[in-house]
Amino acid sequence: MDQTRVVLGVGGGIAAYKACELLRLFTESGHRVRVVPTASALRFVGAPTWAALSGEPVATEVWDEVHEVPHVRIGREADLLVIAPATADVLSRAAGGRADDLLTNVLLTVRCPVVFVPAMHTEMWEHPATRANVATLRERGAVVVEPAVGRLTGADTGKGRLPDPDAIFELCRRVLARGAAADAADLAGRHVVISAGGTREPLDPVRYLGNRSSGKQGYALARTAAARGARVTLVAANTALPDPAGAEVVPVGTAEELRTAVLKAAADADAVVMAAAVADFRPASRAANKIKKQEGRDPEPVALVRNPDVLAELSAARPAPGQVVVGFAAETDDVLANGRAKLARKGCDLLVVNQVGEGLAFGTEENEAVVLDASGGETHVPRGPKEVLADRIWDAVAARWASAAH
């Protein structure tokens, strides 16, 4: 079987050093990688480093190895082109169709999926020219990942940081899994909001009422949506997972905090997927100090009050026109019957029903579910990686959008 061929373009930014780790992840997983840096990138990491790590020659100009017409050969052979870091200059030249070095020439010859991973100062990322270039590239079917928020060069902090190489690699892995299909970036131009994890309701400064949700299914939804071109807002409740590349992560703790964050993000969202396990109840009051055990006395009963029903609220309000709302139902028995009843009660468009219990769903790498449609359809997704279920959910969401457009 032929090796998957990846072209790693490297722009001239300080984050170029992180591309060395991304290159290692590709090569160690069996991919054949050709690095195509810009001339500016070689000021940060030299050609011998790229050649040694990839085992392939390194060139920046079309005049190198000219007898092989390198830009055409590299482009035709590629299964994936990822540019990390993609500087403001690279984005501008790519959007304008420039062909003034080997990387931009290759961009014009590839017919495989293209992923841009921007990295730059916040002001450059937010500039109207950069935003217009990003929009143009997304309209052409490229996946342009949202940069991470964090430490930039010097003392600056903000949006514009290159995501961690592990997260970039996972996103690229999902893009490769979808292949060169015409709909590989079928969520491009869409804003999706995903809740993940499990809320915690404090009893006192030490204890809380919680649940066993790890957030893995919600994070899989975020990774797959970003790989399909969506702008992703991930509302994460008490998770311990690395941020997915391309997702804006909003950390929350309680159900009330989750409600506030989801409703804010949903104002312009095309879809909201409520994968988080949100507590139905919370303590009526929170003790200011740790509740002490008293010898010979049973503890006082804990009075509970209802938390807001975020899924039902979203389904009724529909903050954005044409918004698709997806709920989750974790059931232990009568799974489909309870799921259909919840779908009718909540008023959402789709409901993902899965059985939970020891070794099932919570904290595992795999999941099995049935996706129920408000129109009466149901799709069974057999046990497999949570990313497979995530893709089937996005397929169902995209089908709802397509149906509404006709």
Side-chain angles (χ1 to χ4, degrees):
M1 181 177 177
D2 292 337
Q3 287 179 299
T4 302
R5 295 175 180 266
V6 175
V7 177
L8 174 58
V10 184
I14 187 63
Y17 78 93
K18 291 185 178 180
C20 295
E21 176 65 12
L22 179 60
L23 171 57
R24 185 189 66 80
L25 291 168
F26 276 121
T27 56
E28 290 190 355
S29 60
H31 302 288
R32 182 176 176 183
V33 186
R34 177 71 183 260
V35 182
V36 183
T38 65
S40 297
L42 295 182
R43 291 178 174 266
F44 296 96
V45 181
T49 299
W50 299 122
L53 291 175
S54 68
E56 298 280 347
V58 174
T60 64
E61 302 295 337
V62 292
W63 308 111
D64 298 324
E65 307 171 26
V66 69
H67 65 288
E68 295 184 351
V69 195
H71 62 288
V72 175
R73 178 176 57 81
I74 294 171
R76 284 177 176 171
E77 292 176 350
D79 297 299
L80 174 71
L81 170 57
V82 53
I83 302 179
T87 61
D89 175 67
V90 168
L91 295 174
S92 175
R93 291 191 290 133
R98 297 271 294 277
D100 44 12
D101 64 2
L102 183 58
L103 180 56
T104 50
N105 272 269
V106 170
L107 268 166
L108 294 177
T109 61
V110 294
R111 295 297 180 266
C112 62
V114 177
V115 177
F116 292 89
V117 190
M120 64 198 73
H121 268 72
T122 306
E123 294 85 353
M124 299 175 73
W125 173 250
E126 293 176 347
H127 194 281
T130 303
R131 303 309 301 158
N133 291 331
V134 168
T136 296
L137 293 169
R138 285 173 171 163
E139 286 171 5
R140 294 176 186 160
V143 175
V144 185
V145 177
E146 291 288 313
V149 176
R151 184 72 175 267
L152 306 174
T153 55
D156 293 343
T157 299
K159 189 170 187 177
R161 180 184 175 90
L162 191 77
D164 288 339
D166 285 342
I168 300 172
F169 175 73
E170 284 301 313
L171 181 139
C172 291
R173 187 176 63 82
R174 294 307 307 160
V175 173
L176 279 167
R178 287 184 62 77
D183 65 345
D186 59 340
L187 304 190
R190 300 289 190 175
H191 175 209
V192 301
V193 176
I194 303 156
S195 70
T199 60
R200 295 176 180 176
E201 309 300 329
L203 287 162
D204 61 23
V206 177
R207 304 177 182 89
Y208 60 84
L209 296 179
N211 58 66
R212 296 173 58 194
S213 178
S214 65
K216 290 182 177 180
Q217 185 63 68
Y219 274 62
L221 282 156
R223 286 194 300 271
T224 53
R228 292 169 71 158
R231 176 166 68 92
V232 179
T233 301
L234 176 61
V235 179
N238 306 297
T239 62
L241 302 170
D243 292 352
E248 177 187 358
V249 180
V250 182
V252 296
T254 67
E256 287 281 3
E257 291 171 353
L258 182 141
R259 173 183 177 272
T260 299
V262 167
L263 291 180
K264 179 180 178 182
D268 67 344
D270 297 288
V272 182
V273 182
M274 293 292 294
V278 183
D280 293 324
F281 307 98
R282 68 181 185 274
S285 61
R286 173 183 175 178
N289 300 304
K290 179 181 176 181
I291 301 171
K292 298 290 187 179
K293 179 174 65 176
Q294 298 184 23
E295 293 298 333
R297 295 181 58 183
D298 290 332
E300 294 292 326
V302 177
L304 300 177
V305 296
R306 284 187 176 275
N307 271 323
D309 190 329
V310 186
L311 178 58
E313 185 176 356
L314 276 169
S315 299
R318 305 289 171 148
Q323 186 176 87
V324 174
V325 178
V326 184
F328 268 69
E331 302 290 346
T332 58
D333 58 354
D334 295 330
V335 174
L336 282 181
N338 287 335
R340 290 190 182 96
K342 182 173 181 177
L343 176 63
R345 188 169 67 251
K346 301 293 185 179
C348 50
D349 301 295
L350 301 165
L351 189 76
V352 183
V353 188
N354 60 338
Q355 186 168 7
V356 297
E358 194 65 37
L360 295 175
F362 285 146
T364 67
E365 302 300 325
E366 295 187 335
N367 207 349
E368 179 180 5
V370 177
V371 182
L372 301 178
D373 193 301
S375 62
E378 63 179 60
T379 302
H380 177 249
V381 183
R383 179 164 300 281
K386 289 185 173 180
E387 288 174 337
V388 172
L389 173 58
D391 266 326
R392 298 293 78 78
I393 293 169
W394 292 125
D395 290 345
V397 170
R400 298 281 301 194
W401 287 329
S403 176
H406 291 92

